[in-house]
Amino acid sequence: VQLQASGGGLVQPGGSLRLSCTASGRTLTSLTMTWFRQAPGKEREFVAAIRRGRSTHFSDSVKGRFTISRDNAQNTAYLQMSRLEPEDTAVYYCAAGTDRLIVSSLDLVESYHSWGQGTLVTVSS
């Protein structure tokens, strides 16, 4: 499956952005879709995941501010980001994994077989 991430940009603190991850080559229906991010000089970190049954999981740093969703008809996953903070500045990557991923493995980079190219989010005044 090929993934295309989009929607990044410059936003002021407290603002909102919605990222999209569109798949081609395979339907998203049976996949776990996840967002990671990587800030300059830091390792890639888990942000949020949505599983086949639409259960969602978030890192503590974004819980309550970000939501993740999927539109199977559009073959697209979304990350809605609200109340953005400068610490959210990073390149955001979407990733796809099998529907058999267990909860404890959702935050592992090696759990995912397909990655998008990344989209930059900058939170600054």
Side-chain angles (χ1 to χ4, degrees), residues 3 5 34-48 59 61 87 89-96 105-120:
L3 303 176
T34 299
W35 289 92
F36 285 77
R37 66 186 181 186
Q38 188 165 17
K42 295 188 177 181
E43 292 187 351
R44 194 167 297 191
E45 66 172 359
F46 170 80
V47 176
S59 67
S61 62
E87 294 73 23
T89 295
V91 177
Y92 284 70
Y93 298 90
C94 60
S105 67
L106 290 175
D107 61 346
L108 302 176
V109 169
E110 55 266 33
S111 294
Y112 299 92
H113 53 68
S114 300
W115 290 82
Q117 84 289 1
T119 184
L120 176 63

Side-chain angles (χ1 to χ4, degrees), residues 14 27 36 53 97 99-100:
T27 178
F36 285 77
D99 62 351
R100 294 183 296 278

Side-chain angles (χ1 to χ4, degrees), residues 47-118:
V47 176
I50 183 166
R51 302 171 74 190
R52 180 179 181 178
R54 298 185 186 268
S55 64
T56 58
H57 305 267
F58 298 92
S59 67
D60 288 342
S61 62
V62 307
K63 198 172 295 183
R65 300 188 297 123
F66 291 10
T67 59
I68 187 171
S69 61
R70 62 197 301 161
D71 184 335
N72 290 335
Q74 297 295 323
N75 227 29
T76 300
Y78 301 98
L79 184 69
Q80 178 67 49
M81 306 183 294
S82 303
R83 290 157 40 207
L84 283 160
E85 304 168 351
E87 294 73 23
D88 296 315
T89 295
V91 177
Y92 284 70
Y93 298 90
C94 60
T98 75
D99 62 351
R100 294 183 296 278
L101 289 178
I102 59 176
V103 173
S104 61
S105 67
L106 290 175
D107 61 346
L108 302 176
V109 169
E110 55 266 33
S111 294
Y112 299 92
H113 53 68
S114 300
W115 290 82
Q117 84 289 1

